[in-house]
């Protein structure tokens, strides 16, 4: 994990171009919600997003419906549509709200590999502080200001390191897919991870593997207690290190060595 003292979060404050979203409609990032001027119920877009994050953290991503959210906010479901057009836009808004927490400031004197390592750890840390959000990120392609700033932060070290445009694009998605995928597949709140953190349960698992027939499962008998252990942080760091080391030495083939536009 990133043990350095965190610098103040870098914020995307400059205006961005308006990418078309949802079939060419104007971007939700730059159009004010229709109901922000109506304070009769003190309902704002930010309050909707904050409550949506609370629903996910408390009840899980499957509980995030417009009807459930409206009930928690004490309004009729139709009131939400003054602030977000649909559930997909709500997801994009809450994703950008979460990604805003990532510290994107980096020491330019660090090697590009160290910069990417720091960013990946910071991304994972923020995603895991909001259980369920990583799962949404796997299904959405947010284009909000903080999502764009995160992509820029990952791409700059790759450009500076001399990656071709093609390889920089591949490396970017390898890093993002690995980090987000790890946060989704091995969430700290998952049943498996909680089981591994319990010493008594872990000891029972190890005993079970040692009791397996060695003629049928020789590898599990020997290695089971090395696999089912409480080493989640180490697994992430090791995998990330292997990935970045691979980026330093890409496969040597005509396709990979040819300069891409």
């Amino acid at each position: 994990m990133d043990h350095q003292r965190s610098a103040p979060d870098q914020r995307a404050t400059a205006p961005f171009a308006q990418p078309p979203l949802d079939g060419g409609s104007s971007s939700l990032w730059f159009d004010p919600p229709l109901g922000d001027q109506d304070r009769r119920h003190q309902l704002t877009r930010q309050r909707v997003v904050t409550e949506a994050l609370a629903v996910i953290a408390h009840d899980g991503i499957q509980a995030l419906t417009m009807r459930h959210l409206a009930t928690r906010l004490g309004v009729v479901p139709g009131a939400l549509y003054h602030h977000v057009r649909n559930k997909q836009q709500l997801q994009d808004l809450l994703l950008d709200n979460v990604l805003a927490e990532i510290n994107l400031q980096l020491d330019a004197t660090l090697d590009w590999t160290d910069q990417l390592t720091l960013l990946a750890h910071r991304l994972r840390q923020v995603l895991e502080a909001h259980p369920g959000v990583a799962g949404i990120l796997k299904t959405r392609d947010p284009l909000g200001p903080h999502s764009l700033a995160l992509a820029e932060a990952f791409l700059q070290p790759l450009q500076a390191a001399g990656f071709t445009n093609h390889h920089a694009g591949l490396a970017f998605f390898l890093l993002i897919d690995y980090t987000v995928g790890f946060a989704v597949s091995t969430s700290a709140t998952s049943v498996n991870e909680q089981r591994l953190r319990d010493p008594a349960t872990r000891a029972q698992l190890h005993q079970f593997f040692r009791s397996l027939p060695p003629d049928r499962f020789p590898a599990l008998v020997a290695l089971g207690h090395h696999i089912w252990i409480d080493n989640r942080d180490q697994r992430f760091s090791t995998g990330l290190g292997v990935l970045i080391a691979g980026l330093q030495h890409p496969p040597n083939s005509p396709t990979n060595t040819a300069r891409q536009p």
Side-chain angles (χ1 to χ4, degrees):
M1 303 292 289
D2 177 12
H3 296 295
Q4 295 190 0
R5 183 178 179 84
S6 295
D9 285 1
Q10 176 175 312
R11 292 291 185 260
T13 56
F16 287 83
Q18 297 189 24
L21 298 177
D22 296 334
S25 61
S26 58
S27 172
L28 77 163
W29 309 109
F30 308 96
D31 291 341
L34 298 177
D36 266 8
Q37 302 302 318
D38 182 1
R39 303 297 183 181
R40 286 173 297 177
H41 301 292
Q42 295 297 309
L43 189 63
T44 64
R45 177 179 281 177
Q46 185 56 49
R47 185 180 168 206
V48 171
V49 171
T50 300
E51 195 62 31
L53 287 170
V55 169
I56 295 173
H58 187 265
D59 302 319
I61 184 61
Q62 71 283 350
L64 183 60
T65 66
M66 300 298 270
R67 184 172 297 278
H68 185 196
L69 184 57
T71 299
R72 286 181 59 114
L73 288 165
V75 299
V76 298
L80 298 180
Y81 294 99
H82 289 287
H83 304 275
V84 293
R85 288 197 293 272
N86 50 43
K87 183 178 177 180
Q88 288 69 40
Q89 285 196 347
L90 173 61
Q91 290 178 340
D92 287 346
L93 281 165
L94 68 86
L95 280 173
D96 207 64
N97 194 82
V98 168
L99 295 179
E101 299 179 16
I102 302 172
N103 174 16
L104 301 180
Q105 292 189 348
L106 295 168
D107 182 350
T109 64
L110 290 176
D111 188 75
W112 66 271
T113 59
D114 293 328
Q115 293 184 47
L116 293 174
T117 298
L118 280 173
L119 284 173
H121 277 290
R122 290 171 181 175
L123 172 59
R124 176 199 162 202
Q125 187 174 40
V126 167
L127 290 177
E128 293 185 353
H130 299 277
V133 170
I136 300 177
L137 191 55
K138 288 291 288 184
T139 63
R140 301 293 296 167
D141 188 18
L143 297 175
H146 297 104
S147 176
L148 296 176
L150 176 66
E152 182 73 14
F154 269 98
L155 288 169
Q156 283 183 352
L158 294 169
Q159 274 192 323
F163 279 65
T164 66
N165 295 347
H166 177 71
H167 283 129
L170 290 175
F172 168 77
F173 272 109
L174 282 172
L175 290 164
I176 294 295
D177 286 346
Y178 172 73
T179 305
V180 176
F182 188 94
V184 171
S185 63
T186 58
S187 168
T189 60
S190 70
V191 173
N192 286 342
E193 290 296 331
Q194 292 180 37
R195 182 172 59 185
L196 292 177
R197 286 199 300 269
D198 178 60
T201 304
R202 198 165 58 243
Q204 289 178 341
L205 276 171
H206 295 172
Q207 180 58 40
F208 167 73
F209 290 120
R210 284 192 293 267
S211 69
L212 291 172
D215 57 329
R216 292 183 58 192
F217 305 104
L220 278 173
V221 170
L223 301 175
H225 65 286
H226 292 288
I227 299 172
W228 279 269
I229 56 177
D230 184 18
N231 65 345
R232 190 162 172 274
D233 290 341
Q234 185 180 9
R235 295 200 307 271
F236 178 77
S237 296
T238 300
L240 181 63
V242 170
L243 175 56
I244 291 180
L247 293 177
Q248 295 180 78
H249 306 286
N252 189 16
S253 69
T255 299
N256 289 329
T257 56
R259 185 170 184 81
Q260 299 288 337

